[in-house]
Amino acid sequence: MLDLLEAYGFFGLQHGSAVLLGLLRSKILAATLGPFGVGIFSQANAFFTLLQGFFILGLGGSLTKMIAETNAREDYEGLNQTILTVLLAYGLIGLSFVGFCLLFAQPLALFTFNDSAYLSYVIIVALTAFAWLHYQEMLIIFRGLMQWREASLVAIVGNGVNVLIMFGCILLWEVWGAVLSLLFSQVVSFLLAFWLLVRSTAKRYPIRFWRAKPQWHILRSLVDFAGPLTVMNLLGTVLYLTIRSQIVRQLGAEANGLYQAAYSVSYAYMGFVNTAIWGYGIPKLSSLKGNIGEVVHIQNNSLRLGWLTMVPFTIALLAGREIWIPLLFSSAFLSVAPLFIWQLMGDVIFFVRMNILISMVPLEKMRNYFIEGVSYWILWTGFVVFFLSRWGIAAVIGGYFLINLIFLAFDLTVQSRVNGFRLRQDNLQMFLKSIPLTAFGYLIAQFVPHLWLRLALCSLVILVLLVWLPSSQEKRNGVTYLNRLLSKYLPLRH
């Protein structure tokens, strides 16, 4: 449990810094470039996000799993061969996508910016995605080796440096400089990660991949795992864009903006959940592939810690919506506040589902994982398209909650048979105790009209949850972790 606390602590720092620096970056862009410049940069960033899905091609889960398994076997020759093979294969794939963007820069600029004059921006973003791919490979190596501190350190420092690079580039070249800063930032992040890998991690592990030889069997294994993940992720991207386009088409741009308010806040904290699951869950469970009992034990620990973290946070978020919605957006967005409860509850259920499903990749149940993911996206999209005209954006947010609830019941039934997942007795007791109190907290946060009374009552509910649910041993573990953290990073000087 202590290593889980440590990993979650590092991921929390990493994601928290990304959110804060992202807000600072937005302020810099708005203050220096104005609406037009922000609009152009946003389109460049959206194109960058699109390219990321094509460049990464399921690499995150597959390479993390392969590195964790070879490391657990202490097969360091295989580890180096794996790293080199993947770097070469994805390097060639990345170059082919860069070449495609160079060849079709003009029509891509017309598609993205509605002006073919911005073709240089398309080229810059393509090169940025290529640099980002290699930066992600370094982070995946750290996570596969379960070097969470190094992965988080690189990400935090990289985010800080990126803000400085952006500010300097904007001062020198305005909008063009803002787009160019994307490329500079990813190159600097990659160089920083590679330097740390060679100077630090390679001294603890015999990493000498530059001396290894690529292996075809490793490439075939990579395709077996990366293929389903790629198809599922790209399908999810396409169907989510379909949902957003249907909102605009049937309800208008204003409704899409209201939904964005609910989604963007959810996306900010769920990014931490995804980082924790893919950064900790995949490598940890892959290293325990032959021990199903320990895999289920880790799943239960992660589920328990995440529940004790997410539930109080989402209750507080819902209770204070009149404070943070105008602060982050404007008072005009308060009209979406009554629906936010369904987004939050959907997120909590989604988190539980991911902890149940996460063993499918390490245990090589890729067919089941693929069918589950594809079915989820198709059903949610179908629900939204069918009910959007009747219920408005409530169909999107309510559908997200409902589909996750249905799949949770399915996952609890099926995964017990397929992967041997069982809720541990202490977790079962925790859910039986916490679900009524959690529901009560959500009801208070949703329906008590007076803000300060609502905040006071929700604070009391959160306090009871945090005191009543953790066991005595878990409380001691928390104190031990804090003491270890303080003694390690803030040593006392006499």
Side-chain angles (χ1 to χ4, degrees):
M1 178 64 85
L2 285 177
D3 67 327
L4 179 60
L5 283 170
E6 184 175 17
Y8 270 52
F10 283 125
F11 293 144
L13 288 173
Q14 173 186 335
H15 194 68
S17 71
V19 171
L20 291 175
L21 291 170
L23 292 173
L24 178 59
R25 188 161 46 238
S26 298
K27 292 293 185 182
I28 292 173
L29 286 167
T32 55
L33 301 181
F36 176 79
V38 170
I40 294 297
F41 178 81
S42 296
Q43 283 301 100
N45 203 42
F47 183 56
F48 174 43
T49 303
L50 177 65
L51 288 184
Q52 286 174 330
F54 287 96
F55 275 69
I56 199 72
L57 290 178
L59 182 65
S62 52
L63 180 56
T64 303
K65 173 188 180 299
M66 294 170 71
I67 290 177
E69 287 181 355
T70 53
N71 182 51
R73 297 194 304 266
E74 297 185 355
D75 178 13
Y76 297 116
E77 181 182 3
L79 174 64
N80 285 300
Q81 290 173 345
T82 298
I83 293 173
L84 180 66
T85 302
V86 171
L87 290 180
L88 291 176
Y90 273 79
L92 291 174
I93 293 172
L95 285 175
S96 67
F97 281 125
V98 171
F100 176 86
C101 291
L102 288 172
L103 187 61
F104 296 97
Q106 190 167 352
L108 286 172
L110 187 62
F111 169 77
T112 305
F113 301 98
N114 198 33
D115 190 341
S116 59
Y118 289 104
L119 62 89
S120 63
Y121 289 10
V122 169
I123 297 171
I124 291 172
V125 173
L127 293 173
T128 300
F130 185 70
W132 171 84
L133 170 64
H134 292 290
Y135 167 56
Q136 290 301 309
E137 289 168 342
M138 298 299 106
L139 292 184
I140 291 168
I141 292 171
F142 288 132
R143 291 169 183 166
L145 296 172
M146 290 181 277
Q147 301 297 298
W148 300 300
R149 181 180 63 178
E150 284 79 357
S152 299
L153 176 64
V154 168
I156 292 170
V157 175
N159 287 331
V161 172
N162 292 350
V163 171
L164 296 176
I165 291 174
M166 171 176 283
F167 184 67
C169 288
I170 290 174
L171 290 180
L172 290 173
W173 302 298
E174 298 181 335
V175 179
W176 192 80
V179 177
L180 188 63
S181 72
L182 292 173
L183 175 58
F184 289 164
S185 297
Q186 296 303 324
V187 170
V188 170
S189 294
F190 164 71
L191 293 175
L192 175 64
F194 186 77
W195 176 84
L196 188 62
L197 177 69
V198 173
R199 293 296 301 271
S200 177
T201 305
K203 292 182 179 179
R204 294 192 297 275
Y205 298 88
I207 295 178
R208 303 291 185 272
F209 61 85
W210 48 88
R211 299 178 183 173
K213 294 181 180 180
Q215 301 292 322
W216 281 108
H217 73 276
I218 294 175
L219 187 59
R220 288 194 296 269
S221 298
L222 181 68
V223 171
D224 290 339
F225 292 104
L229 291 174
T230 298
V231 174
M232 190 174 68
N233 290 339
L234 292 178
L235 178 66
T237 300
V238 171
L239 291 181
Y240 183 69
L241 288 174
T242 301
I243 290 173
R244 298 299 291 263
S245 67
Q246 286 297 314
I247 295 175
V248 174
R249 183 175 303 169
Q250 296 190 36
L251 305 178
E254 182 180 354
N256 193 39
L258 291 174
Y259 174 66
Q260 179 64 24
Y263 170 77
S264 61
V265 174
S266 170
Y267 179 79
Y269 67 80
M270 287 301 288
F272 163 73
V273 173
N274 289 328
T275 301
I277 288 176
W278 289 92
Y280 175 84
I282 291 291
K284 189 68 177 180
L285 298 185
S286 296
S287 68
L288 301 168
K289 179 181 172 182
N291 189 342
I292 301 298
E294 188 61 22
V295 166
V296 174
H297 179 70
I298 295 295
Q299 285 179 281
N300 273 275
N301 281 346
S302 181
L303 181 60
R304 187 174 184 85
L305 180 59
W307 181 267
L308 293 172
T309 303
M310 277 199 70
V311 167
F313 176 77
T314 53
I315 291 175
L317 199 62
L318 181 62
R321 58 191 178 275
E322 286 98 329
I323 298 174
W324 60 262
I325 289 179
L327 183 64
L328 295 180
F329 304 98
S330 73
S331 57
F333 289 84
L334 285 171
S335 60
V336 78
L339 297 175
F340 198 61
I341 183 174
W342 303 107
Q343 180 74 33
L344 294 173
M345 292 194 299
D347 287 341
V348 172
I349 297 173
F350 180 82
F351 161 79
V352 174
R353 289 186 54 240
M354 288 302 99
N355 275 281
I356 296 172
L357 295 174
I358 193 60
S359 64
M360 297 178 79
V361 175
L363 297 180
E364 302 180 8
K365 308 286 186 178
M366 297 305 298
R367 180 182 176 183
N368 301 48
Y369 190 73
F370 176 79
I371 294 173
E372 168 101 4
V374 170
S375 302
Y376 172 87
W377 279 106
I378 290 176
L379 287 175
W380 184 27
T381 305
F383 183 93
V384 170
V385 171
F386 186 78
F387 289 105
L388 191 62
S389 60
R390 306 180 191 183
W391 297 345
I393 59 173
V396 186
I397 300 176
Y400 172 68
F401 166 77
L402 183 61
I403 295 299
N404 274 288
L405 187 62
I406 293 171
F407 271 83
L408 175 62
F410 175 79
D411 294 335
L412 286 171
T413 303
V414 173
Q415 294 311 308
S416 62
R417 300 175 182 175
V418 175
N419 295 328
F421 176 80
R422 295 288 188 280
L423 269 180
R424 217 167 47 205
Q425 188 65 31
D426 59 339
N427 276 352
L428 181 59
Q429 293 174 356
M430 177 189 72
F431 284 121
L432 291 176
K433 290 192 300 184
S434 66
I435 288 177
L437 187 57
T438 300
F440 182 59
Y442 280 132
L443 289 173
I444 292 173
Q446 180 75 358
F447 294 111
V448 173
H450 191 277
L451 175 61
W452 297 110
L453 176 61
R454 184 200 314 152
L455 290 174
L457 292 174
C458 286
S459 298
L460 182 61
V461 171
I462 291 170
L463 181 63
V464 173
L465 283 169
L466 294 178
V467 172
W468 187 36
L469 295 183
S471 65
S472 299
Q473 181 61 46
E474 287 170 335
K475 294 173 185 176
R476 287 194 292 269
N477 284 340
V479 173
T480 300
Y481 170 69
L482 289 175
N483 288 334
R484 177 191 294 182
L485 197 65
L486 290 173
S487 62
K488 189 172 183 178
Y489 297 105
L490 296 173
L492 296 177
R493 297 182 182 275
H494 300 285

